[in-house]
Amino acid sequence: AVVSTQSTGTRKLLSDTLFQMGGSYKVRQVYRDEGYYQLLKCYDQWEEDLDARERVQNVIYLIIQDDGEVDLRREDELPEGYETHTELEVVDNAAEIVENKEVVGS
């Protein structure tokens, strides 16, 4: 299957966004409750771009780990390549959105 570079970039961005938002317990719980694992696992199986695949696997890791084992607010637990400049604001805002049920599709 031929996939455009532009759509690969979009998939990487989406995975990065899901990963950043997954830094909050509340958001990870939404991922679990809404079946994100199954969706992302299917995506992981057909993705041919290794970088995009690694990024979605990082999100899957967040979903399947016990919450005591994952805390993205601690810099030493971020996968290589992720920086911690303003993620806390992004994660906190995402948690508020989920808490207020302003999630798209809800």
Side-chain angles (χ1 to χ4, degrees), residues 22-58:
S24 163
Y25 167 78
K26 291 178 183 179
V27 174
R28 286 193 303 276
Q29 195 58 46
V30 169
Y31 290 174
R32 293 178 186 123
D33 293 345
E34 298 298 324
Y36 280 48
Y37 172 82
Q38 293 84 355
L39 174 70
L40 295 173
K41 196 62 183 166
C42 288
Y43 162 54
D44 176 51
Q45 291 175 354
W46 68 257
E47 178 59 70
E48 294 177 0
D49 182 275
L50 294 179
D51 186 37
R53 187 175 221 179
E54 182 178 346
R55 291 171 190 229
V56 77
Q57 288 171 353
N58 288 335

Side-chain angles (χ1 to χ4, degrees), residues 8-104:
T8 301
T10 301
R11 293 192 308 275
K12 289 178 186 179
L13 180 62
L14 179 58
S15 292
D16 289 345
T17 302
L18 290 171
F19 182 82
Q20 293 294 329
M21 290 176 61
S24 163
Y25 167 78
K26 291 178 183 179
V27 174
R28 286 193 303 276
Q29 195 58 46
V30 169
Y31 290 174
R32 293 178 186 123
D33 293 345
E34 298 298 324
Y36 280 48
Y37 172 82
Q38 293 84 355
L39 174 70
L40 295 173
K41 196 62 183 166
C42 288
Y43 162 54
D44 176 51
Q45 291 175 354
W46 68 257
E47 178 59 70
E48 294 177 0
D49 182 275
L50 294 179
D51 186 37
R53 187 175 221 179
E54 182 178 346
R55 291 171 190 229
V56 77
Q57 288 171 353
N58 288 335
V59 180
I60 292 170
Y61 167 80
L62 287 178
I63 295 170
I64 64 174
Q65 294 301 310
D66 290 335
D67 283 310
E69 298 178 23
V70 177
D71 183 1
L72 295 184
R73 295 169 193 264
R74 291 188 13 215
E75 203 169 317
D76 60 330
E77 292 194 26
L78 288 170
E80 188 175 325
Y82 288 92
E83 297 179 13
T84 59
H85 46 88
T86 59
E87 290 91 339
L88 294 179
E89 292 173 8
V90 172
V91 168
D92 289 340
N93 290 339
E96 285 178 29
I97 291 170
V98 170
E99 191 172 287
N100 294 326
K101 300 184 188 304
E102 295 176 14
V103 178
V104 175

